[in-house]
Amino acid sequence: MECVRCQKSDEDTHLLKCPICFKHVCEECQVNRHGRIFCSKICADLFFFGDEEDE
């Protein structure tokens, strides 16, 4: 496994799994929003604000 942003392997660093897309991200590249870890700002925003639905 490797970080989706910097490509460091799990042998070089600790990887965390994004709760939205399930991609792995290292502690240096993570996006921390309200105590939760995400791989990107997009996933963090999706978690807290949801996806726009057409009516």
Side-chain angles (χ1 to χ4, degrees):
M1 290 185 289
E2 62 183 29
C3 175
V4 295
R5 297 181 72 187
C6 69
Q7 285 73 44
K8 287 184 183 175
S9 75
D10 57 346
E11 295 176 2
D12 298 328
T13 188
H14 180 72
L15 297 178
L16 306 160
K17 189 184 288 188
C18 178
I20 297 296
C21 67
F22 306 111
K23 293 178 182 174
H24 291 89
V25 65
C26 72
E27 293 176 334
E28 294 171 8
C29 296
Q30 73 184 1
V31 174
N32 188 332
R33 179 84 49 89
H34 301 289
R36 291 192 176 262
I37 305 304
F38 301 95
C39 69
S40 66
K41 181 182 180 310
I42 294 170
C43 284
D45 289 346
L46 185 61
F47 183 84
F48 286 103
F49 304 117
D51 193 14
E52 290 184 21
E53 295 181 20
D54 294 333
E55 291 184 21

